[in-house]
Amino acid sequence: MEEPGRLERLVEAGKAVIPPLTLLSALLFYFGYVSARSQYEYFGVDVDTIGLGTQDYIMRSPQPLLTPLLVFAAAAAGSIAVHAAIRRRIHPGASARTVARMRRMGRAGQVAGPAVLAGGLLLLSGYPLLRDWRLYGLVTPLLIALGGTLYGSGAAIGRLLRPPPAPSGRASTTLVYLVVAVSAFWMTATVAQWSGRGLAMDRANRLGRLPSVILNTRESLFLRSPGVLETKLPASEGQTFHYRYRNLRLLIHGKDRMFLVPDRWSASNATIIVPLDGSVRVQFQFQNQPP
């Protein structure tokens, strides 16, 4: 039995250092964080100020990961089916014509793969000029992953037509898989970012569905968001709160603070951070829908 290459030994050592469950949790946390950051950035809020925990980000990860996982699963199933069909055609009794056709297919993949990969790397090198292109974060890793996949598929067909490759050949194949994995990670992060922004825009379009809040404060907040109604409460003995604000909605509840937004979207709106330290009084209104 052949000795594993240096790269294979490094991968096995990585598995021992980082258990699969820990790696999965880290990935779920990261994609949930990317989505949440993009979502609340739309409302002018840095997600780190909210105080969400690890579990909160992990629970938010299924939404942005659903589409990429379905696409990757379909691509993997298609790749396995194509590989199985090719293996069935390449057998000891295969005709010379079939073998020649398969050999041409393998060479085509090994030629087209590097060409597509070069296109992706060219876009990567042009990041300073192309970073504002909205599709940059998806097209660039897609080309890199597609180029690596085409080259890997062509190399796999070539291995079926000749004896097993040398350790250096296995290492190059592993590097191709690593490039494809990193590109898939990049694409998924881009989709997670888009998903967060899409959720934010959908929520901004339906602010009326968020919990309605009445906010009482000791001092005027001088809010200028359209639609927010400020009322000065009548003075009375022992009265602590002197101003009341209506037409506010609860965007999210953090660890020790609330984030409120006006109930109608406007480009001049602002998100209000309300500390839960007794300096304000918050009331939640019933929905205007009789039972």
Side-chain angles (χ1 to χ4, degrees), residues 249-268:
R249 299 282 174 168
L250 175 63
L251 177 64
I252 188 172
H253 183 284
K255 183 178 181 181
D256 55 359
R257 64 194 69 182
M258 299 171 63
F259 295 80
L260 308 180
V261 294
D263 63 357
R264 288 180 296 176
W265 186 89
S266 171
S268 58

Side-chain angles (χ1 to χ4, degrees), residues 36-177:
R37 186 175 187 83
S38 179
Q39 179 179 355
Y40 293 106
E41 189 178 49
Y42 181 81
F43 295 97
V45 178
D46 186 344
V47 72
D48 293 329
T49 65
I50 299 176
L52 299 176
T54 301
Q55 185 176 358
D56 297 313
Y57 290 120
I58 291 178
M59 294 296 292
R60 292 169 182 269
S61 62
Q63 171 78 23
L65 287 180
L66 180 60
T67 299
L69 287 179
L70 289 175
V71 172
F72 293 150
S79 177
I80 292 174
V82 170
H83 187 70
I86 292 175
R87 288 184 66 93
R88 285 195 300 268
R89 301 194 66 177
I90 302 176
H91 53 83
S95 65
R97 184 177 179 180
T98 299
V99 172
R101 186 183 300 115
M102 293 297 102
R103 184 172 286 110
R104 286 195 299 270
M105 185 183 300
R107 289 175 179 172
Q110 290 179 294
V111 171
V116 176
L117 181 61
L121 294 177
L122 184 62
L123 288 177
L124 185 62
S125 64
Y127 174 76
L129 299 176
L130 300 173
R131 60 184 176 183
D132 293 331
W133 181 30
R134 188 172 184 272
L135 297 178
Y136 179 84
L138 184 65
V139 173
T140 302
L142 179 60
L143 289 177
I144 295 175
L146 181 59
T149 302
L150 288 174
Y151 178 80
S153 300
I157 295 175
R159 287 196 298 273
L160 292 175
L161 297 171
R162 63 176 183 267
S168 60
R170 292 200 306 270
S172 63
T173 301
T174 305
L175 285 174
V176 169
Y177 292 152

Side-chain angles (χ1 to χ4, degrees), residues 231-259:
T231 304
K232 189 172 182 179
L233 300 177
S236 62
E237 184 178 356
Q239 176 70 14
T240 303
F241 302 100
H242 304 289
Y243 293 89
R244 173 169 294 170
Y245 295 89
R246 295 180 180 272
N247 301 333
L248 293 171
R249 299 282 174 168
L250 175 63
L251 177 64
I252 188 172
H253 183 284
K255 183 178 181 181
D256 55 359
R257 64 194 69 182
M258 299 171 63
F259 295 80

Side-chain angles (χ1 to χ4, degrees), residues 6-26:
R6 180 180 301 177
L7 192 56
E8 285 82 353
R9 292 197 299 269
L10 184 61
V11 172
E12 292 299 325
K15 291 180 181 179
V17 174
I18 306 177
L21 184 59
T22 302
L23 179 61
L24 176 61
S25 299

